[in-house]
Amino acid sequence: MQAAKINLRAQTGAPKWYNTFMNHLLTLGFQHSQAYPSLLTFQHNQSQIFLLVYVDDILVTGNNQEVINNILSKLHAQFNMQNLGTVHHFLGIKIQQFKDKFFLSQASYATSILTSANLTHCNPLANPSCTKLPPEVAEDTILSEPSTYRRITGSLQYLTLTRPDITYAVNVLSQHMHDPSSQHVYLLKRLLRYIRGTVDFRLPILKNQLKLTTYSDADWASDATTRKSTTGHCTFLGDTLISWAVKK
């Protein structure tokens, strides 16, 4: 898997650079993914190449290194690009490669969230949430500020890209960003203490059978005020978790 950075805006202007690059990829034989327009695929004989574009960064992988090198050389001939080689980080996500698997993690990003909340040395917890709140909740000098609550909760939403274990807890916190109470601040601090103890958790991507399996569940009118339910699902490709969501 290789990464590259494109310096295209100076040549075409900000509004046009993305369309210019995409149109050139189409002339090389790429096609847009129906699931995600910034993901393009290239197929020829037994070769299959995937190219992901995010702003001015691209990620390229596939089953034929010679074809990948040929595509990159054609792009270099047309655009001002910097080949960053084998990818180790992409959009704040650390990518560790092994012979038959990958691991994705956001340890540095999680640590920066803890630092902003002044919880880098807090005592960790074993669970990201709780089923019963204490009758009295002490004020937190940092997290009780509504703007801080919203900023940290928003940051945690990005952390769920590699941390499905905190998705439900973040969903609950996000429902009260407009007016967080002391109980919501308590739940936020619990979640941050859980992250403190699991900061090195990694999401595995394994090489195995391409069998698609989805699990889903929902409670029944768990919100006592709105009587709305909360549902969640997770989808596996073989043994690899590829999609998950929680929704009220």
Side-chain angles (χ1 to χ4, degrees):
M1 188 180 295
Q2 294 180 270
K5 183 175 285 291
I6 314 166
N7 183 15
L8 195 60
R9 297 182 182 182
Q11 303 173 39
T12 62
K16 297 181 179 179
W17 79 268
Y18 182 84
N19 289 336
T20 301
F21 184 68
M22 284 296 186
N23 289 335
H24 185 71
L25 289 175
L26 296 178
T27 64
L28 295 179
F30 279 90
Q31 294 183 335
H32 285 285
S33 166
Q34 295 182 359
Y36 188 63
S38 292
L39 175 65
L40 296 96
T41 60
F42 174 90
Q43 291 184 331
H44 180 70
N45 296 330
Q46 299 299 317
S47 301
Q48 191 169 28
I49 311 300
F50 300 90
L51 188 148
L52 178 67
V53 182
Y54 185 85
V55 189
D56 57 353
D57 293 315
I58 67 173
L59 195 64
V60 186
T61 188
N63 61 358
N64 191 320
Q65 187 61 45
E66 183 179 350
V67 174
I68 292 177
N69 293 337
N70 184 43
I71 291 172
L72 290 176
S73 65
K74 291 180 179 179
L75 292 176
H76 274 287
Q78 187 70 21
F79 304 108
N80 181 10
M81 292 178 55
Q82 179 185 4
N83 190 341
L84 303 179
T86 302
V87 63
H88 299 288
H89 290 85
F90 189 71
L91 306 180
I93 299 175
K94 182 179 180 180
I95 303 172
Q96 294 175 284
Q97 301 185 41
F98 297 90
K99 182 178 180 181
D100 57 349
K101 56 181 172 287
F102 291 86
F103 284 102
L104 308 181
S105 64
Q106 294 172 278
S108 297
Y109 181 70
T111 301
S112 69
I113 297 174
L114 294 173
T115 301
S116 66
N118 197 26
L119 291 173
T120 51
H121 301 292
C122 66
N123 293 325
L125 292 176
N127 195 299
S129 188
C130 63
T131 57
K132 186 177 181 180
L133 293 169
E136 295 184 5
V137 178
E139 286 287 320
D140 186 282
T141 56
I142 297 178
L143 299 179
S144 293
E145 174 62 36
S147 60
T148 303
Y149 177 97
R150 287 190 283 268
R151 174 175 54 81
I152 293 179
T153 302
S155 299
L156 290 172
Q157 291 177 356
Y158 187 70
L159 187 60
T160 61
L161 286 178
T162 60
R163 293 294 301 270
D165 54 321
I166 67 170
T167 303
Y168 174 79
V170 173
N171 176 271
V172 172
L173 296 172
S174 300
Q175 296 176 29
H176 305 282
M177 293 178 70
H178 62 290
D179 186 24
S181 69
S182 58
Q183 291 184 332
H184 305 133
V185 173
Y186 170 81
L187 291 174
L188 174 58
K189 190 170 184 177
R190 276 194 62 97
L191 176 56
L192 292 173
R193 291 176 62 188
Y194 169 77
I195 292 172
R196 167 70 176 85
T198 59
V199 70
D200 292 321
F201 272 19
R202 303 178 298 173
L203 184 68
I205 300 178
L206 310 173
K207 182 179 180 180
N208 49 34
Q209 58 180 339
L210 300 181
K211 179 182 179 182
L212 199 63
T213 308
T214 296
Y215 303 91
S216 64
D217 196 10
D219 57 21
W220 178 254
S222 59
D223 191 310
T225 303
T226 63
R227 309 309 297 170
K228 289 186 176 180
S229 303
T230 299
T231 183
H233 79 262
C234 58
T235 300
F236 289 83
L237 186 60
D239 295 328
T240 300
L241 181 62
I242 61 171
S243 177
W244 56 90
V246 174
K247 184 177 182 181
K248 184 178 178 182

